[in-house]
Amino acid sequence: MKVLVPVKRVVDYNVKVRVKSDGTGVDIANVKMSMNPFDEIAIEEAVRLKEKGVATEVIAVSCGVTQCQETLRTAMAIGADRAILVETDAELQPLAVAKLLKALVDKEQPGLVILGKQAIDDDCNQTGQMLAALAGLPQGTFASKVEVTGETVAVTREVDGGLEIVKLNLPAVVTTDLRLNEPRYVTLPNIMKAKKKPLEVVKPADLGVDVTPRLKTLKVEEPPKRSAGIKVADVAALVDKLKNEAKVI
Amino acid sequence: MTALVIAEHDNASIKGATLNTITAALACGGEVHVLVAGHNAAAAAAAAAQIAGVSKVLHADGAQLADGLAENLATQVLAVAAGYSHVLFPATAAGKNVSPRVAALLDVAQLSDVTKVISADTFERPIYAGNAIATVQSTDAVKVLTVRTTGFDAAAATGGSAAVESVAVAADSGKSVFGSREIAKNDRPELTAAKIIVSGGRALGSNDKFMEVLTPLADKLGAALGASRAAVDAGYAPNDWQVGQTGKIVAPQLYIACGISGAIQHLAGMKDSKVIVAINKDAEAPIFSVADYGLEADLFTAVPELVSSL
């Protein structure tokens, strides 16, 4: 079966972003961009399924600006066979991305779609669930283990308080949690090989999808700053402060 | 204008996160109805009817709703959603699982982790691991949101007297089956609801040390135990103790971070705590920049000392 893996280009997780002074957004000019960490886990899982002989082809997909091609090349260096870029300069919100992906699912007919559970920029945690809904597929979100047997996939999910297992009929949508796997490092030879792999570029209009945002961002602000704290000399001073100043114990 | 809150429950009682979600729903400005979808969940529906501010409880009871499978629960929500201006879920693992599915089926955008209701169509939510707060306006007819529970006070669990109305159960999707659940045994307060949290990081060194050093302190304070991602990944603490951008978001009265450096992803989960205490031997650790009280010391001596002086 084919496995489709959507990946997103985001501000690198180590970058501490700054809010623009005019309140229109976050300043992402000239900051380091990388593949969303959860999506790396998704690609890794898809490639492992291929190595186990479960998947026959791994297709990486990204939606956004031209530079997303770099993210797709990284996915192919990890082991994806080919890539599709849905190119647009428009602001894409999860519902629009889910619709674009639904169109690609219809076209490519994958047995499994593996996404990250959330992107670390908008922190939405929606796209996988929305895609599953639109495509009429079952979903296994926040996966820490994925086992394909015949026509079903057993997904171990991280939930509040512990773990649960759901069994889904294929095709299905899975979103990855942090502990699903440890993504491999890309090697130089694989980066070179990835440059030769096919990368198809399409437009949202080619897929018949209207990507108009439904949510309007009115402003973006800095979160309230915490007032500077103090350092205490020893445990006795700490206990005294907690009891008499903060009155929390 | 009426809001529908999807209750999180275990078929017998209503989970705490539902109460915060009801407060957010009331802030949207209309009546609040609650959907209790489950199996043999009459007790949970009765409990929902007692919550202050709730004017009606819809109760759907069927075996396919027993375990909160997203496919079946989303269909159930859709079956009753007509006429509501807002559909709200708590931003818990269960709520985040189902809410976007409902939104997509209604062809509307979803707002995640709402921390403040400004008006019926305008909301605040954190982005970039809490490093920025976005004010977002929805242009959709129905607003589907998940509510960050630490952003809203809990509604009173008693004092209400809503009518309970049975509603038809939506058919089983047949696409997914619940397997099993493994819930960690925990006699401590629930992490997201705890007033005090004692949290440990990689510096603890092992699971044995983690428990040996932090448990007495948590016991003494009646606190919940939390952990950084590093501690969880290293196997020192279970997954569901993880506090941070991708783990639990907490805002207790007192958060004690022991041996946690304070990466932005961790701070995203706890920086709204009222009082933060950091115990770390690295004077340069970023955790000190958010701590109200910092103690630069080896946690293996400081924590036991703290326990004995309480």
Side-chain angles (χ1 to χ4, degrees):
Chain A
M1 70 178 179
K2 288 188 202 173
V3 180
L4 191 73
V5 185
V7 295
K8 185 175 184 183
R9 177 178 181 264
V10 298
V11 172
D12 188 85
Y13 73 98
N14 277 316
V15 173
K16 184 157 186 341
V17 294
R18 284 213 320 273
V19 173
K20 286 191 210 164
S21 52
D22 63 358
T24 53
V26 165
D27 191 1
I28 57 167
N30 305 317
V31 302
K32 187 183 176 209
M33 306 292 281
S34 305
M35 188 190 297
N36 180 43
F38 290 99
D39 304 348
E40 277 186 63
I41 296 171
I43 280 280
E44 174 68 30
E45 193 66 18
V47 172
R48 288 187 191 188
L49 286 173
K50 194 180 169 200
E51 287 165 350
K52 274 191 252 173
V54 176
T56 50
E57 186 183 33
V58 177
I59 309 158
V61 180
S62 194
C63 304
V65 295
T66 317
Q67 290 89 325
C68 295
Q69 291 197 12
E70 294 161 20
T71 316
L72 289 169
R73 293 287 171 202
T74 307
M76 290 190 283
I78 294 171
D81 298 290
R82 61 184 168 99
I84 304 171
L85 171 64
V86 183
E87 195 184 72
T88 170
D89 291 331
E91 182 202 345
L92 291 177
Q93 293 176 348
L95 183 62
V97 175
K99 287 179 178 178
L100 294 170
L101 296 175
K102 150 81 165 70
L104 291 174
V105 165
D106 288 347
K107 196 170 142 212
E108 299 284 350
Q109 297 287 321
L112 205 54
V113 185
I114 310 180
L115 305 88
K117 81 162 175 182
Q118 80 190 59
I120 58 166
D121 51 1
D122 60 21
D123 280 334
C124 277
N125 193 334
Q126 300 174 7
T127 309
Q129 295 90 318
M130 287 183 153
L131 169 63
L134 297 173
L137 301 177
Q139 67 187 48
T141 51
F142 324 146
S144 60
K145 196 174 173 193
V146 174
E147 278 178 297
V148 177
T149 359
E151 288 306 299
T152 61
V153 56
V155 179
T156 304
R157 307 180 52 232
E158 292 194 9
V159 295
D160 299 336
L163 299 170
E164 69 175 42
I165 299 174
V166 291
K167 293 199 175 79
L168 314 173
N169 295 351
L170 295 174
V173 174
V174 169
T175 75
T176 64
D177 215 320
L178 287 170
R179 277 160 287 272
L180 180 59
N181 61 47
E182 187 84 34
R184 70 195 65 183
Y185 286 104
V186 292
T187 59
L188 191 58
N190 284 341
I191 292 172
M192 299 314 286
K193 270 186 227 160
K195 288 187 179 168
K196 298 208 178 70
K197 291 184 181 176
L199 194 160
E200 180 191 352
V201 179
V202 297
K203 301 276 181 195
D206 302 336
L207 300 169
V209 176
D210 172 13
V211 295
T212 313
R214 306 291 189 83
L215 300 175
K216 207 160 82 187
T217 300
L218 302 181
K219 63 177 175 195
V220 176
E221 298 165 295
E222 290 264 354
K225 286 249 185 309
R226 289 189 77 93
S227 50
I230 54 162
K231 281 209 181 163
V232 294
D234 52 26
V235 169
L238 176 61
V239 174
D240 175 63
K241 291 283 186 196
L242 290 177
K243 278 193 174 144
N244 302 319
E245 195 175 277
K247 297 188 169 49
V248 282
I249 54 173
Chain B
M1 205 166 68
T2 310
L4 180 67
V5 171
I6 315 307
E8 187 167 339
H9 62 88
D10 58 6
N11 291 315
S13 60
I14 297 288
K15 297 219 171 140
T18 309
L19 302 175
N20 308 79
T21 310
I22 286 168
T23 303
L26 287 164
C28 294
E31 270 188 42
V32 173
H33 295 180
V34 174
L35 171 68
V36 176
H39 187 44
N40 297 329
Q50 300 292 311
I51 300 169
V54 175
S55 47
K56 186 154 88 172
V57 174
L58 306 176
H59 178 205
D61 216 301
Q64 67 269 39
L65 296 171
D67 296 293
L69 284 173
E71 296 77 16
N72 293 342
L73 185 50
T75 316
Q76 183 65 52
V77 174
L78 223 61
V80 300
Y84 289 102
S85 59
H86 295 74
V87 179
L88 299 93
F89 293 77
T92 54
K96 289 173 177 177
N97 188 32
V98 182
S99 181
R101 205 170 165 108
V102 170
L105 294 171
L106 291 168
D107 192 26
V108 301
Q110 192 231 242
L111 291 119
S112 297
D113 266 315
V114 168
T115 47
K116 194 169 168 186
V117 176
I118 294 173
S119 70
D121 68 354
T122 307
F123 308 90
E124 270 186 18
R125 58 176 304 264
I127 53 175
Y128 287 92
N131 286 308
I133 309 292
T135 303
V136 185
Q137 186 175 35
S138 165
T139 56
D140 287 313
V142 185
K143 280 75 176 157
V144 178
L145 17 150
T146 63
V147 173
R148 180 169 290 193
T149 53
T150 57
F152 298 87
D153 294 332
T158 55
S161 56
V164 178
E165 183 183 301
S166 280
V167 294
V169 181
D172 192 343
S173 77
K175 287 178 177 155
S176 62
V177 182
F178 182 78
S180 61
R181 186 170 284 147
E182 201 179 300
I183 295 301
K185 281 244 181 321
N186 200 349
D187 41 20
R188 299 186 178 284
E190 198 194 338
L191 191 54
T192 50
K195 289 207 159 46
I196 302 180
I197 294 172
V198 174
S199 204
R202 202 202 312 258
L204 270 305
S206 71
N207 175 258
D208 291 347
K209 281 284 175 198
F210 193 100
M211 300 304 168
E212 182 191 316
V213 175
L214 298 188
T215 308
L217 181 57
D219 285 343
K220 201 91 181 201
L221 295 168
L225 281 166
S228 70
R229 181 184 168 193
V232 171
D233 281 353
Y236 305 165
N239 296 353
D240 56 306
W241 288 11
Q242 185 183 324
V243 172
Q245 183 184 17
T246 61
K248 301 270 169 60
I249 312 288
V250 300
Q253 294 290 305
L254 173 60
Y255 187 91
I256 306 180
C258 306
I260 293 177
S261 64
I264 36 185
Q265 291 80 9
H266 185 75
L267 301 184
M270 46 64 85
K271 66 182 175 168
D272 293 328
S273 306
K274 185 160 171 277
V275 174
I276 297 172
V277 170
I279 302 174
N280 203 305
K281 63 180 176 188
D282 175 9
E284 303 300 318
I287 189 79
F288 286 122
S289 68
V290 299
D292 298 281
Y293 303 112
L295 176 61
E296 201 185 309
D298 184 353
L299 70 95
F300 292 107
T301 53
V303 174
E305 209 184 312
L306 183 55
V307 174
S308 58
S309 61
L310 286 170

